[in-house]
Amino acid sequence: MTKPIAVIGAGNGGTAIAAFLASKGASVNLCDLFPQYVEGIQKDGGITLTIEGKTTRETLTYVGTDVAKTIKDVKLIMVVTPSFTHKMIAEACSSLLEDGQIVVLNPGRTGGAVEFLATIRKLGCKKDIIVAEAQTLIYSCRKTGPSSVEVYGVKKEVDLGAFPASKTGEVLAEINPYYPQFKPAANCLQTSLSNIGALFHPSPVLLNIGRIETDRNGFKYYIEGISPSVAKLVKSIDKERMAVAAAYGVRVLSAEEWLKTSYDTHGEDLYELLQNNQAYADIKAPGTIQARYVTEDVPMSLVPISELGRIAGIATPAIDAVITLTSTIYERDFRKEGRSLANMGLEGMTKEQVARYFETGTK
Amino acid sequence: MTKPIAVIGAGNGGTAIAAFLASKGASVNLCDLFPQYVEGIQKDGGITLTIEGKTTRETLTYVGTDVAKTIKDVKLIMVVTPSFTHKMIAEACSSLLEDGQIVVLNPGRTGGAVEFLATIRKLGCKKDIIVAEAQTLIYSCRKTGPSSVEVYGVKKEVDLGAFPASKTGEVLAEINPYYPQFKPAANCLQTSLSNIGALFHPSPVLLNIGRIETDRNGFKYYIEGISPSVAKLVKSIDKERMAVAAAYGVRVLSAEEWLKTSYDTHGEDLYELLQNNQAYADIKAPGTIQARYVTEDVPMSLVPISELGRIAGIATPAIDAVITLTSTIYERDFRKEGRSLANMGLEGMTKEQVARYFETGTK
């Protein structure tokens, strides 16, 4: 009998993954640090899952807020939460983790795996743990009620990198029986630096922040929000991200390449590719500035790209300016609370040391 | 008989000032480097001036594009052009200037007088020249036709600083017979660092740039454009400006103080003072990003404030971020084309040397 699987996070993605794993015969423990996310499932005694046109009811082994019960005796721990909670989850897990466990962040954004590891190590956890990060969430899905979830789309391929990179095969051996879509990334630098949200989220909010606060009609996020000038800044940020990746010898897709690969769109440049992408046509701008597009993607995406750039001697002036202005406007120190070198456990390292660390796990 | 007066710049402000000086009995030479601005006046043989409810017709001594003819044998040269042309005008004047002439920039924005002086000195002009800067344009006015101008408002007081500061009295003696409204500023650091356009213009355009490009209905610049978040950034920039001024021992009004002094408005903070200012209520946002709010106020206002801050050891992160992002989006190097330390002739100086230089003219 295979070991049970833990899922931490009972939002849209976590509920869908837990139910899907159960549908495949796994014994699943699901927890969330915030009780309101699991109460509906507890009351109902299960999850109603709709995927690929079929609706089934799935029963889990444990549902609650107790991390200890959730991860005890499991091999695979799927973390499916906003990336700004990864550190908090690492803190909650650090004294409970067992030798040989695998933590997969769905997704890690940028620097998720190393931040998770640095956090548990700082708290004294010496267990033999692999932390991996998916490049993106495998599902497009939405909770349709307190105990029901609908999956609208399943990605055909999702890159997964393990920390250290040498352990990626071991992680895939555990996860591929359920999700053959996960494919090996070169390492966690590649998954981290392929973070497209870093491009499409913070700067368009910043450059439309007056409108978000005063245009009561709202506006279309990509079609109106990413105007020609906004697209120019997005492109500049993309170039900085790619320069950082190149400095570490990591191949990542440009924003244009990624759009062409992921969607049926066309155009001569980034602006046109975004305008012609039917999948983006109706997406509305957030109705408030307190949106994860900034509060998650600045500290968990732009900050670590800037920090990795700093080690590699790659200037990231546009990224840095967006971090500075959002920190000023949101009255938060996104650099400090986000994935700084200290929080990622990379402080004092050279570029070569960082590259080796991601490969071997040895500083 | 007093000497003729030169006016350079035949836009709204220059046409109004030239006509007004003529109405006071002065012999006035008016030129513009761009012929389209003076053609109407040349054809008509004069300017129709409407001011304080009275309309008169004024005749000038010379109207054309010839700077040499315009400034020959005059004492006072009133430059009334966008500040990004000051350098070009200095270049056009440098070999023509005569000992004892006074150049007044209306207004100088930030660092106008020192940039003008540095430009003519670099080109070898050794003449004894005073360059002064008005803190703002004395008129609210608009050309109503090719040879007519209407003055809607005359400021009650306009601070004027001379470079060096010790010469301010000499400049006022020349200008006050026509314009008693000009009052002595402490020095050109004070006029330069009182530049309110630096606050209210570039960052609200930047933070609404998507809307400027895609909202066909347009929007109200202050009421909608300076939303609470935008006001926070404006306030941060104001604090940086005031810190730079304080470092040089110069007293300047805060944005809130300036609004209360200049307008009949009320409120607890900058956001409320702007929202409650009836004079701003109907001002529309620019219909294109190619607006002087950025193309003038970034290089000629924010850049020199940042540069003066750098010498004084005052960090200006919000200002620097706005310069970086507008430079990226506009694909221009605003730092290089703007009032850098090199362009202002302040390179290599300490804070104390800069302060003394503005007082005495001696490096």
Side-chain angles (χ1 to χ4, degrees), chain B residues 34 50 54 87 97-98 101 128 137 145 147 170 172 192 203 223 237 240 283 312:
Chain B
F34 302 96
T50 303
K54 288 199 303 190
K87 193 159 182 277
L97 287 162
E98 300 160 15
Q101 285 186 322
D128 178 23
L137 183 63
S147 65
E170 202 172 311
L172 289 174
S192 283
S203 59
I223 302 303
I237 289 174
E240 292 177 2
I283 294 177

Side-chain angles (χ1 to χ4, degrees), chain A residues 305-320:
Chain A
I305 294 171
S306 167
E307 294 283 271
L308 287 167
R310 190 149 59 90
I311 285 185
I314 302 295
T316 55
I319 289 174
D320 294 350

Side-chain angles (χ1 to χ4, degrees), chain A residues 315-326:
Chain A
T316 55
I319 289 174
D320 294 350
V322 172
I323 296 168
T324 297
L325 293 186
T326 50

Side-chain angles (χ1 to χ4, degrees), chain A residues 205-211 213-215 217 223-230 232-233 236 271 289 317-322 324-325 328-331, chain B residues 205-211 213-215 217 223-230 232-233 236 271 289 317-322 324-325 328-331:
Chain A
V205 169
L206 178 67
L207 300 189
N208 287 284
I209 206 159
R211 189 172 196 177
E213 291 188 308
T214 63
D215 188 345
N217 299 321
I223 302 302
E224 296 177 272
I226 305 194
S227 69
S229 288
V230 178
K232 271 189 195 161
L233 178 57
S236 295
Y271 172 71
I289 70 161
I319 289 174
D320 294 350
V322 172
T324 297
L325 293 186
T328 301
I329 290 168
Y330 285 70
E331 294 174 340
Chain B
V205 168
L206 179 66
L207 299 190
N208 288 284
I209 207 160
R211 189 172 196 177
E213 292 187 308
T214 64
D215 189 345
N217 299 321
I223 302 303
E224 297 177 272
I226 305 194
S227 69
S229 288
V230 177
K232 271 189 195 161
L233 179 58
S236 294
Y271 173 71
I289 71 160
I319 289 174
D320 295 348
V322 172
T324 297
L325 293 186
T328 301
I329 290 168
Y330 286 70
E331 294 175 340

